Amino acid sequence: MNIAFPFQIDGHGRTATTPDDGHIRDMIEQLLFTNPGERVNRPSFGSGLLQMVFEPSSTELAAALQFTLQASLQQLLGSLIQLQTVQVAANDGVLQVTVQYIVRGDQQTQSAKFSQEI
């Protein structure tokens, strides 16, 4: 059973669930927007993405951020996905991350976009 993120109640009054593809997308979103050290008993979980948004914008920072996100995704979700690309852009106070990956279970290519106001 894959619990939906964010936690919610379905129309039958039970905990909402999500299919496997949706669950993997939810896990990617949680990993991207969680800072390392925020999770109890999982201090290495997270990407540090939100810590980087206040740094001065530069090509070096963008490359470092992309490398950090790729490493986090491969380390923590590598058993579920094969990472293809990660793209990061900050435009008009909105951070946008696009992740393209292959789900290892069914070999389907997926693309997910995430946005966060900064």
Side-chain angles (χ1 to χ4, degrees):
M1 177 171 80
N2 300 321
I3 296 175
F5 173 79
F7 182 82
Q8 53 194 326
I9 303 298
D10 67 10
H12 301 288
R14 298 185 214 125
T15 300
T17 60
T18 186
D20 289 340
D21 288 345
H23 182 64
I24 290 172
R25 186 197 180 285
D26 291 348
M27 290 189 335
I28 293 170
E29 182 176 7
Q30 290 176 47
L31 177 64
L32 292 177
F33 297 112
T34 299
N35 288 319
E38 285 185 349
R39 291 276 176 102
V40 176
N41 296 327
R42 295 211 51 201
S44 64
F45 185 85
S47 68
L49 175 66
L50 295 178
Q51 295 172 341
M52 301 289 266
V53 297
F54 298 109
E55 299 295 325
S57 182
S58 68
T59 56
E60 292 84 9
L61 178 66
L65 186 55
Q66 188 168 343
F67 177 76
T68 301
L69 293 178
Q70 287 175 340
S72 295
L73 287 164
Q74 288 173 346
Q75 178 186 11
L76 296 167
L77 298 178
S79 62
L80 299 173
I81 64 171
Q82 179 182 344
L83 191 60
Q84 298 294 303
T85 61
V86 176
Q87 297 174 341
V88 180
N91 298 317
D92 297 328
V94 177
L95 181 67
Q96 296 176 334
V97 179
T98 304
V99 180
Q100 189 171 23
Y101 58 95
I102 297 173
V103 177
R104 291 194 187 272
D106 60 9
Q107 297 299 312
Q108 295 293 316
T109 300
Q110 301 287 332
S111 183
K113 292 185 180 187
F114 306 96
S115 296
Q116 177 75 33
E117 282 190 35
I118 52 175

